[in-house]
Amino acid sequence: MSDLYATIVVPCRHEEGNVGPLLDRIKTAMNGHPYEVLFVDDSDNDATVQAIRAADPNALVFHRMGEQRWGGLAGAVIDGLRMAHSDRVVVMDADLQHPPEVVPALLSTLDGGAELVMASRYTDGGDPGGLSGPFRRLVSGASTWLAKATFPIRLRGVTDPMTGFFGLRRSAVDAGTLHSRGFKILLEILARYPRLRRAEVPLRFDKRLSGDSKGDARQGLEYLKQLPRLRVATTPLRYFATARFRDFAIGGAVVAAAGVVLLEALVRTGMDPLAAFGVQLAVTLALNFSYNYLVTWRDRVRAGLARRISWFLATRGATQFLSWLLFAGLSAAVGLHHQVANGVCLVMAAAVNYYVTDKVVFTAGAASARGRRVARWLVAGAAALGIGAALYAAHLPAPTVLAASLLAVALFNTAIGALEVRWRLYGWRTRRRSSGCAGRRPTARRGSGSR
Ligand code: GDD
Ligand code: MN
């Protein structure tokens, strides 16, 4: 298949009257270039498959049955992208509303360096003429406008984000990241891959050759549902638009409120406020850890409790300390009201705590490399800032303060790094069991889960 020039993916459903003429016109248009046509057929009977076989026995057909038939038209296109043998793929409808004569222009635009090329009805030289009736035109215009309003930046310069006729470098997208249902597969590609090099060619949209359109009110509804979902899924803050973050935030707020009540109660029973604060801190940390262990990340954790607790305490300590510094900076240096500064600190701490808890504390196996790096710098940075602040308060000269802080970061990072190597080689338990000669007897390597 290495000399294959292109794969033409055709999603179809009950198009027996169209596939023959379509194959003929594709053949003429391709003018001798080696290509394959891959139909992804969702028909409820064999008529379309038979019509394809009769017209061209070499055409590939994936007749999706039952469970396989996910996502309708968009799912069919995604399956087609997965199964295509060429890196150059053209997606087009079966009903000849997309003239095959445009295919060579799409392919040569890909060869010119574009990764995505759209056949547009709304660019110079294009024509939506084949849309049946003024109502379809209105719907088409409104849905295009809505898409552009929802993704003003990602769709800049795209005149027809609803077109079902486009060329794509398969290697430029990962079909596994696409989930759309219904009719708007191109929109999802545009939204999820905003950095694709893209281009347009004009499309004179024809009338359907035979049969009826499958676009109906249900597709319109599906589109309206898909749009906000796609917006959330592609926003930079999607990390925090999850049920997990919601659980985390609710639990954190409840525990913090419980801490306030506890502190008040202890002080009223006559306990020294400083001691009461210590008790309150210990209780809320324990509650937070348990809640996140049992609820927020319940799907993840079982093994490695000691390691998780130590990372939890280290990273929480670091964010507490950074909050304190941020508060000092915001209220003293910037002059913010103390409650406003406190609010900013809370938001920062919630975001950082959530991230490191997700990536380091309650991971499925070992922490992700990136999360570990973030956590390590978080703790090292907090320690260094703390040492720096203390020395500065003791009126040491600035260069000494700076040098001591940098040294603290370096030492801390080295120490954590060494500890991590221990964990990965021997696990946590081994060390406890052979506490007398820690590290000398390399027993049981941790399984693959710790890699
Ligand atoms: N596999 C599969 N499964 N194919 C489907 C399905 C499905 O559930 N529904 C429709 N198709 C196929 C049709 O057989 C046809 O080849 C193509 O997808 C487009 O369907 P039409 O029913 O002809 O839709 P349309 O003409 O209303 O919509 C076209 O124009 C829209 C813009 O106006 C499509 O190209 C849309 O993607 C496009 O947004
Ligand atoms: Mn059509």
Side-chain angles (χ1 to χ4, degrees):
M1 286 286 182
S2 56
D3 54 347
L4 191 67
Y5 178 54
T7 298
I8 300 170
V9 171
V10 184
C12 57
R13 180 169 154 80
H14 299 303
E15 300 288 3
E16 56 273 20
N18 294 317
V19 289
L22 174 73
L23 283 165
D24 286 347
R25 278 174 62 184
I26 289 178
K27 187 168 181 186
T28 312
M30 289 304 287
N31 195 23
H33 284 92
Y35 65 94
E36 67 181 3
V37 181
L38 168 58
F39 289 92
V40 185
D41 177 28
D42 283 348
S43 300
D44 298 321
N45 56 34
D46 281 344
T48 302
V49 177
Q50 270 157 22
I52 295 167
R53 289 273 142 76
D56 178 0
N58 289 324
L60 305 172
V61 189
F62 173 28
H63 190 179
R64 305 199 304 171
M65 308 278 199
E67 294 264 290
Q68 297 174 319
R69 211 179 278 179
W70 69 281
L73 172 53
V77 171
I78 294 167
D79 282 348
L81 291 177
R82 285 211 186 96
M83 297 167 75
H85 294 104
S86 172
D87 190 44
R88 293 183 198 82
V89 176
V90 167
V91 176
M92 67 188 299
D93 294 351
D95 58 1
L96 287 166
Q97 290 193 282
H98 296 160
E101 294 68 33
V102 176
V103 172
L106 293 175
L107 291 171
S108 64
T109 310
L110 288 182
D111 284 337
E115 292 165 305
L116 171 66
V117 49
M118 299 159 276
S120 166
R121 295 163 290 184
Y122 301 115
T123 193
D124 283 346
D127 182 2
L131 280 178
S132 49
F135 182 68
R136 270 307 295 262
R137 273 167 216 241
L138 191 73
V139 170
S140 173
S143 51
T144 301
W145 180 85
L146 202 59
K148 298 202 70 149
T150 311
F151 295 100
I153 296 169
R154 278 160 210 248
L155 296 188
R156 194 176 285 157
V158 176
T159 58
D160 194 357
M162 301 294 133
T163 184
F165 195 9
F166 56 91
L168 182 69
R169 281 272 175 195
R170 211 159 57 102
S171 47
V173 304
D174 172 5
T177 60
L178 304 172
H179 313 284
S180 49
R181 286 161 188 282
F183 270 39
K184 304 310 165 203
I185 179 64
L186 175 66
L187 184 62
E188 174 158 17
I189 295 175
L190 287 165
R192 288 194 195 270
Y193 293 92
R195 272 184 260 282
L196 288 180
R197 278 191 304 275
R198 53 202 196 193
E200 292 188 341
V201 300
L203 165 64
R204 304 182 71 88
F205 197 67
D206 268 343
K207 291 229 169 343
R208 186 173 243 285
L209 184 67
S210 116
D212 294 323
S213 166
K214 282 90 197 166
D216 54 14
R218 228 188 75 221
Q219 296 299 342
L221 216 66
E222 193 65 51
Y223 173 63
L224 292 181
K225 272 193 337 213
Q226 191 189 318
L227 211 51
R229 242 185 253 152
L230 193 58
R231 182 63 269 188
V232 170
T234 55
T235 162
L237 289 176
R238 65 183 165 280
Y239 201 70
F240 300 102
T242 56
R244 203 193 288 287
F245 184 74
R246 180 204 58 205
D247 290 351
F248 172 84
I250 293 175
V254 170
V255 169
V260 171
V261 173
L262 179 65
L263 179 63
E264 191 57 32
L266 291 176
V267 170
R268 286 195 186 181
T269 58
M271 192 184 253
D272 171 49
L274 203 59
F277 183 80
V279 172
Q280 179 264 157
L281 192 63
V283 170
T284 49
L285 277 174
L287 283 177
N288 252 322
F289 182 87
S290 318
Y291 171 81
N292 286 323
Y293 181 84
L294 296 171
V295 179
T296 315
W297 281 274
R298 63 180 174 279
D299 54 321
R300 295 258 185 94
V301 254
R302 282 307 160 245
L305 195 55
R307 175 169 59 93
R308 296 184 200 283
I309 291 177
S310 48
W311 265 123
F312 180 81
L313 292 177
T315 52
R316 285 303 147 103
T319 31
Q320 280 294 326
F321 187 72
L322 288 178
S323 279
W324 184 72
L325 284 175
L326 182 63
F327 182 86
L330 290 175
S331 59
V334 186
L336 278 186
H337 184 269
H338 63 272
Q339 285 304 349
V340 178
N342 187 35
V344 175
C345 290
L346 272 175
V347 170
M348 182 284 290
V352 173
N353 278 338
Y354 182 72
Y355 182 82
V356 294
T357 311
D358 194 50
K359 297 292 180 197
V360 185
V361 180
F362 293 122
T363 51
S368 80
R370 178 143 170 246
R372 228 167 25 222
R373 221 176 307 127
V374 170
R376 195 198 284 173
W377 279 104
L378 178 67
V379 180
L385 283 169
I387 290 169
L391 296 180
Y392 183 77
H395 299 293
L396 265 86
T400 314
V401 172
L402 193 65
S405 305
L406 290 176
L407 189 68
V409 173
L411 282 179
F412 188 86
N413 257 324
T414 315
I416 288 278
L419 268 179
E420 264 180 38
V421 171
R422 278 208 59 83
W423 279 325
R424 291 169 79 183
L425 285 182
Y426 309 118
W428 179 272
R429 286 169 189 287
T430 324
R431 192 175 149 214
R432 254 199 292 161
R433 238 183 273 133
S434 55
S435 53
C437 49
R440 239 182 277 153
R441 210 161 39 94
T443 40
R445 259 182 96 102
R446 277 272 217 103
S448 57
S450 62
R451 261 195 285 126

Short mmCIF file of all heavy atoms in Angstrom, two decimals, residues 16 182 369:
data_model
loop_
_atom_site.label_atom_id
_atom_site.label_comp_id
_atom_site.label_asym_id
_atom_site.label_seq_id
_atom_site.Cartn_x
_atom_site.Cartn_y
_atom_site.Cartn_z
N GLU A 16 -27.80 3.62 -1.68
CA GLU A 16 -27.63 2.68 -2.79
C GLU A 16 -27.81 3.33 -4.15
O GLU A 16 -27.24 2.89 -5.13
CB GLU A 16 -28.56 1.46 -2.64
CG GLU A 16 -30.06 1.77 -2.50
CD GLU A 16 -30.47 2.02 -1.04
OE1 GLU A 16 -29.59 2.33 -0.22
OE2 GLU A 16 -31.68 1.92 -0.75
N GLY A 182 -23.09 12.67 15.70
CA GLY A 182 -23.87 13.50 14.79
C GLY A 182 -23.06 14.05 13.64
O GLY A 182 -22.14 13.40 13.16
N ALA A 369 5.67 11.77 35.81
CA ALA A 369 6.97 12.43 35.88
C ALA A 369 6.78 13.94 36.01
O ALA A 369 7.44 14.60 36.81
CB ALA A 369 7.78 12.10 34.64
#
